[in-house]
Amino acid sequence: MGGRVGAGRQACLAAAAALLLVGCQATPAPTVIDESRADSSAPDAFRNRTALPPCPDVVLDQGKKLGAEALECLERGYTENGAELAVARPTVEGDMVVRYARVTTHAPALQLFHDSTRDKFGSGEWTEASCPLPQGQDSIAACLGIE
């Protein structure tokens, strides 16, 4: 009978361990976009920007292009409640740079922030620019360079 008690105890311990592990999930490592968003060297215009509905973050591999989903998210933002898209991509040398594109409802221009602080061969700085949207949402692809 001692074998059955030992087996029952093992089953209870295994069940308890499983319950403990369910609550323990690894915290994902921050992405380059997370690090960029938290960068204290970002300009005030970026750090104090008005929150807009986020598009899914995009991290591109070398030579990959931005997908249609990202463009569609910004186009919806133009016609609806605004949107912000963050895209990280490697330079030719492999350093990750992050670009943010922001659009508000029927905005005359796309607001762009470019974080080059990880680019060892570039400016190493943040920049801010705007890209006019003369044809409204139909101009967004040209601003992003994905015509």
Side-chain angles (χ1 to χ4, degrees), residues 15-25:
L19 286 174
L20 286 174
L21 288 176
V22 168
C24 297
Q25 296 180 2

Side-chain angles (χ1 to χ4, degrees), residues 74-82 104-106 137:
L74 286 174
E75 289 174 342
R76 271 191 315 277
Y78 180 85
T79 60
E80 296 174 10
N81 301 333
T104 55
T105 309
H106 302 288
Q137 72 184 45

Side-chain angles (χ1 to χ4, degrees), residues 13-75:
L13 288 174
L19 286 174
L20 286 174
L21 288 176
V22 168
C24 297
Q25 296 180 2
T27 303
T31 67
V32 66
I33 294 173
D34 295 330
E35 292 170 359
S36 174
R37 283 188 179 114
D39 186 355
S40 62
S41 72
D44 286 341
F46 179 80
R47 287 185 285 127
N48 299 323
R49 70 197 187 282
T50 302
L52 292 172
C55 298
D57 290 347
V58 178
V59 178
L60 298 173
D61 291 326
Q62 193 70 262
K64 298 297 179 186
K65 296 189 182 221
L66 195 59
E69 307 83 28
L71 176 60
E72 291 165 3
C73 180
L74 286 174
E75 289 174 342

